[in-house]
Amino acid sequence: NSSSAHAAAKSGGRGCLCIFDIDRTLTCKQGFGPPACPGAHVFSGVWDDAYGGGDLTLSTLGDRGVRATACGACEIGIVSHGTAGGNAMKDIIGHSIGQRPEWSRPGQIHSPFVLGCGNKPPCVRGVLDWFNARGAGIAPQNVYLFDDKRSNIDAFRGSEFNARQISCSALEGNIGLCGADPGEIRLERGVRTC
């Protein structure tokens, strides 16, 4: 157990949990800063290996931070199919969520930050279980996932969790282009796609 993991759970009793994808949610298409993606922040020389790779580019949400949204009073987690690049990218993502994460993998969830998760509902359950094992007392209906990819959102249909597709104003095929905008982060019940 890391100190960052304990810090994430110590506030207990927040009553809600927001879980974010990384690639094209907290980030944009690599190198796609303003004006194409207003509010984005390009980190030249920081490698992001998702979807072909390039310079890490935080979305408006990633740059402003998740605590400045409706999720500000909730516990925070990450469930991503990707790897979050190298150490420099991981440090920047940590700043975006307000802490330095200790990363977990599916089947070995020892923190609320999970990489390499292709089937997201079980990983979200693992993050919820991690918080509740530390006394958070969060009900499944108070868990909110935000992701750019429709198939990841559709996987939550019939579950107890809430899921919302983001980057709806700028999609590149079936994935986000500019990532999440803070205004898209709403604690609304149900499974919602663009």
Side-chain angles (χ1 to χ4, degrees), residues 32-50:
F32 246 67
C37 294
H41 183 166
V42 178
F43 289 83
S44 296
V46 176
W47 183 250
D48 175 358
D49 61 355

Side-chain angles (χ1 to χ4, degrees), residues 79-82 105-106 114-124 152:
V79 171
S80 180
H81 187 244
R105 296 279 177 186
V114 184
L115 299 175
C117 184
N119 181 16
K120 294 195 175 185
C123 293
V124 167
N152 288 338

Side-chain angles (χ1 to χ4, degrees), residues 33-112:
C37 294
H41 183 166
V42 178
F43 289 83
S44 296
V46 176
W47 183 250
D48 175 358
D49 61 355
Y51 299 115
D55 287 336
L56 171 64
T57 305
L58 289 183
S59 65
T60 305
L61 174 67
D63 193 47
R64 291 186 188 166
V66 300
R67 290 283 178 205
T69 70
C71 290
C74 299
E75 301 291 1
I76 301 295
I78 287 177
V79 171
S80 180
H81 187 244
T83 64
N87 289 336
M89 180 175 169
K90 286 177 173 72
D91 288 346
I92 292 167
I93 295 299
H95 179 74
S96 180
I97 61 170
Q99 56 192 296
R100 185 175 172 86
E102 176 183 328
W103 300 100
S104 292
R105 296 279 177 186
Q108 300 174 0
I109 297 177
H110 58 270
S111 77

